[in-house]
Amino acid sequence: MNLTLITHLIAAALAAAAAWFFQGAQMDAAVAKLNATQAAQESERHRIALDDARATFRKGEIHARNQQEIADAHAAQEKRRLFRLAAAAADGERLRKQVTEYAATCGGGEADSPAVALQRCRDRAATLGVLYGEADSQAEAFAGAAEQHADEVRTLMRVIQNDRTLLPLPGGLGLKAPPRPDAGSTP
């Protein structure tokens, strides 16, 4: 009986050891599967973060290029404005010269002596020339200021519109949120 008992005890011990090793192998397989799942999730999070970083960098590149285009367009507008102002100043100077020449060649009236008529004509023409000069100067200043202001407003509007391209859509954050693990799982 001792031998049978010992045999049963040995058989029970071998069965327990086999069950222990089988359970250990199943546990190792479960841990390996869990590690693989977590590695895949981590890899996916890294991929999403990299995609978001690339998209953000690309938006930054586009924004910088657009800002440079806006600045270049504004510089070109400023050159055109200065050219037009110089042309207006030349036109004003030409007009003043014509008035001055007219004053120098103005003749007399019917009731006045030629000398008096000539002096009155010269006086009127000189006064007219001064007034034209002042009016032209003021018109140039006002036109230049108005055009410069309009150019600056147009430029700022383009800058604002370009900056708005970086803003998120209404109600959103603009960036994709990373995937969140399901409730109860460990990251």
Side-chain angles (χ1 to χ4, degrees):
M1 180 145 149
N2 277 344
L3 187 56
T4 310
L5 182 59
I6 292 176
T7 307
H8 284 303
L9 285 176
I10 290 175
L14 285 176
W20 180 263
F21 286 121
F22 179 73
Q23 282 268 332
Q26 282 185 332
M27 183 64 94
D28 288 344
V31 167
K33 183 178 178 181
L34 178 62
N35 287 341
T37 301
Q38 287 176 343
Q41 288 174 346
E42 186 68 21
S43 176
E44 180 65 12
R45 280 193 291 270
H46 284 276
R47 186 194 62 76
I48 290 170
L50 185 59
D51 288 348
D52 284 346
R54 285 181 182 141
T56 301
F57 182 75
R58 182 68 183 137
K59 284 181 183 179
E61 285 179 326
I62 291 168
H63 183 263
R65 185 190 70 230
N66 289 345
Q67 291 294 72
Q68 187 60 50
E69 288 174 1
I70 291 168
D72 292 345
H74 178 68
Q77 284 174 342
E78 187 65 14
K79 285 180 185 176
R80 287 190 302 272
R81 184 185 68 79
L82 291 174
F83 177 76
R84 287 191 300 264
L85 286 176
D91 285 346
E93 186 57 37
R94 182 183 51 76
L95 180 61
R96 281 188 287 278
K97 185 177 177 185
Q98 287 175 349
V99 169
T100 302
E101 288 173 0
Y102 174 75
T105 60
C106 186
E110 292 178 22
D112 294 329
S113 69
V116 171
L118 181 60
Q119 186 58 45
R120 283 186 185 159
C121 184
R122 285 182 180 160
D123 290 343
R124 277 190 241 129
T127 302
L128 185 59
V130 169
L131 292 175
Y132 276 151
E134 289 176 10
D136 189 49
S137 175
Q138 288 178 357
E140 285 177 29
F142 290 145
E147 192 166 338
Q148 183 178 6
H149 177 72
D151 285 346
E152 289 170 357
V153 168
R154 283 189 290 270
T155 299
L156 289 174
M157 292 289 289
R158 290 183 66 202
V159 167
I160 289 168
Q161 185 61 35
N162 189 43
D163 285 344
R164 284 182 178 166
T165 62
L166 293 178
L167 293 176
L169 297 174
L173 295 176
L175 298 175
K176 290 188 276 184
R180 303 222 181 239
D182 294 332
S185 67
T186 55

